[in-house]
Amino acid sequence: MFLKSIRHRIIFLYLTILFLTFTIFGTLLYNTVKKKSYNDINDLLLSKAEGIIDSIEASWEAEKKSLLSLYPVEKNISRLNNINFEKIVRRWLQEKMNDPLLLSIDLNIYNPEGKIIGSTGKLKIKPNIPFNLFSSAENNTPYFADFSIDDGSGELLRVRTLTLAFFEQNRASYLVQVIFPLTQIISFLNHLRLMFLIFLPSVLVFSFIASIILSRVTLNPINEIMNTIHKITAENLKLRIKIPDTKDEVKKLADTFNEMLDRLENAFLTQRVFIEDLTHELKTPLAIMKGEIEVTLKKIRSAEDYESILRSSLEEVNKLIRMCEDMLLLARFEARAVELEKKPVELVDLFQRIIGDMDILAAQKEINLFLEAHEKVTVTGDEIKLRQVFINLLDNALKFTPPGGQVSVRLVRDKSWARIAVADTGIGITPQDLPHVFDRFYHSRQAATEEAGFGLGLAIAKAIVEAHQGKIEVRSELRQGSTFTVFLPL
């Protein structure tokens, strides 16, 4: 239940990421500091061990010169099990006890049998000499080891040792073991770990409080949007969400909701107008049929009268059927449920056939109907549906053009479009009516004649053209004529 709220999810994810980030960072930092500290200790121990060996060797060389002066026959004096060498080591330790070289460390020196021949004695530690350091001259590598020893007070002291052998005649002549207490390093690492253990919960608590405050501030505009949306109903679609003075996602959300409300308002308005227009269009033929039937039933009529009334009613029924078919076709186009049978259509041939069919109607009204095309233009489309579009446009042009006028079809290439302009010299369309000519059930004031249809033809034509990824435009001047231009992709 807690994570169902987006605010709680944001806080939870934020704290989780923060916890993982600090945990990983703290672990890496702790391990890095620990490794660096122990590497520094290793370097220090190795440096001191090498310094001690060099110092002991210098004392031994001085002793050798003294011995050679007394015993010139022995040219090669070995350190191995040499009592003089052990005396030099002990004397060297006494002399260097307070030397800075031995400061902060303890020192044990062993003979090849592993017996201590000299020690500073600061710490009590058991020897831990690897056997291979005595058995092979090839293993001349420093040997590091950690121990817990009794410091004399009953507490264990953690130390690090470095054991380094000096070889002579492929044997370890003696071995130096340097011992360094890890008290300060361990204390420092413990304090570092404790600091992270205290710091991390403190940061999480502070971040939790801050995230709650920030989430409230951030999501407050969304709460206002939700409150406004709850107030919007079908009767109150003009209410809009207040746009915050920002450029963030909340502003985009508010803009999106307002755009959606605009579309909903237009849809409701269009639906209301559509229902009113449909009711009006249905009312006339139904009223005619009702009136004729009522008159017929008032008295007995002759067979000719009954036949005339039935024919009139049948004509009104056919009008209703045509209107329903047009409405169904328009609805299918708007729902994109019409599948176009597309194929190459040569427009010049198509218009020649259409004009040939409509020449009789134009001749009856003494209207000059002609086609103007200077080249072949081919598009891909549904020929039957395109024919319906242009017959509709030409039929309207002939209806509203007075005798003696002219209707023209001009076909040209316009970049990647085929441009078809159907122009007439008719009564024209008023500026007030021009934006609505493609609306369903639209009837222009100038077109309110007996020849006016249901007002669905141009809406269907527009739907067919747009289904072909084209567009249709209109220009008109009152009493000067109109031009409908169709653009179809080549």
Side-chain angles (χ1 to χ4, degrees), residues 389-400:
V389 171
F390 298 122
I391 286 179
N392 189 294
L393 295 178
L394 286 172
D395 184 60
N396 283 344
L398 293 173
K399 279 182 182 180
F400 304 118

Side-chain angles (χ1 to χ4, degrees), residues 34 38 41-42 45 125-126 128 143-149 157-163 177-182 185-186 189:
K34 182 179 180 180
Y38 277 94
I41 293 174
N42 292 343
L45 293 179
I125 181 170
K126 294 180 180 180
N128 187 59
Y143 177 77
F144 293 95
D146 290 346
F147 298 94
S148 294
I149 62 173
L157 177 66
R158 194 71 178 170
V159 297
R160 167 156 285 203
T161 65
L162 166 63
T163 306
Q177 187 177 59
V178 183
I179 306 166
F180 183 82
L182 298 176
I185 299 299
I186 294 175
L189 293 175

